[in-house]
Amino acid sequence: ARGAGFLETGVGTTTLRLGGVLATELVVLDDATLTCRAPAGPSGARVDAEVQNDNGRGVLGQAFRYVTRPTLSDLSPALGPARGGAQITLHGSGFLAPGGGQTQVTFGLLGAKSVRVLDDSTLTCRTPFGDPGERVDVRLTNANGEARLGAAFAYLELPGVERILP
């Protein structure tokens, strides 16, 4: 939080409440800056920030917004070629939530290509290459957080020829 009067003479203990709930791990960095751990709050809500010490109280209305973390519910298709390039559709929520910023998708450790958010609950992308026969986690990440579907995508085995007769 940024403000003033956090270190002036006689301030005593400084507290910060977000939406009326006391923040924890508060550290005053200088007379105008403090850090803290925000208490849990309702997803997407904007709440007042209230700083108080022995010298008084200051309130900044609607100053803090709880983010809406993205979720993933399913993807289709759930398998594709090891060479990558399969078009996948992911379903969930929070893809366009305020403050989300750019969305990234990974299959295992590799980033998907051509990620395109269609709406708050649907996006498409193309798979990166993978190891034949491997099953990987699919992760969606934006500035509001991360969602994961464990072992949700399988890379198909490569076709092979063992011998030809005659």
Side-chain angles (χ1 to χ4, degrees), residues 8-78:
E8 289 184 15
T9 304
V11 297
T13 301
T14 299
T15 61
L16 173 67
R17 292 181 183 277
L18 297 172
V21 181
L22 191 63
T24 60
E25 301 177 31
L26 187 133
V27 176
V28 176
L29 300 176
D30 58 44
D31 194 53
T33 311
L34 61 84
T35 65
C36 67
R37 181 169 304 278
S43 183
R46 282 196 168 279
V47 297
D48 294 349
E50 176 186 337
V51 175
Q52 187 168 352
N53 59 33
D54 290 347
N55 288 339
R57 169 180 170 263
V59 177
L60 185 58
Q62 305 290 298
F64 185 80
R65 183 180 57 82
Y66 285 96
V67 298
T68 301
R69 295 180 64 84
T71 66
L72 283 175
S73 55
D74 66 79
L75 73 148
S76 64

Side-chain angles (χ1 to χ4, degrees), residues 4-161:
F6 300 152
L7 288 178
E8 289 184 15
T9 304
V11 297
T13 301
T14 299
T15 61
L16 173 67
R17 292 181 183 277
L18 297 172
V21 181
L22 191 63
T24 60
E25 301 177 31
L26 187 133
V27 176
V28 176
L29 300 176
D30 58 44
D31 194 53
T33 311
L34 61 84
T35 65
C36 67
R37 181 169 304 278
S43 183
R46 282 196 168 279
V47 297
D48 294 349
E50 176 186 337
V51 175
Q52 187 168 352
N53 59 33
D54 290 347
N55 288 339
R57 169 180 170 263
V59 177
L60 185 58
Q62 305 290 298
F64 185 80
R65 183 180 57 82
Y66 285 96
V67 298
T68 301
R69 295 180 64 84
T71 66
L72 283 175
S73 55
D74 66 79
L75 73 148
S76 64
L79 51 90
R83 73 182 183 303
Q87 173 132 350
I88 305 297
T89 301
L90 289 144
H91 298 280
S93 65
F95 301 169
L96 291 176
Q102 183 177 359
T103 299
Q104 297 175 334
V105 177
T106 58
F107 287 74
L109 299 175
L110 300 176
K113 308 292 183 208
S114 305
V115 175
R116 194 170 135 220
V117 177
L118 304 178
D119 57 47
D120 194 55
S121 62
T122 310
L123 69 77
T124 61
C125 63
R126 296 215 174 264
T127 58
F129 67 88
D131 291 329
E134 182 179 31
R135 186 167 281 282
V136 296
D137 292 352
V138 177
R139 283 187 168 78
L140 177 141
T141 307
N142 65 25
N144 292 335
E146 178 182 292
R148 179 177 74 88
L149 288 173
F153 186 81
Y155 285 102
L156 298 170
E157 293 285 345
L158 295 174
V161 176

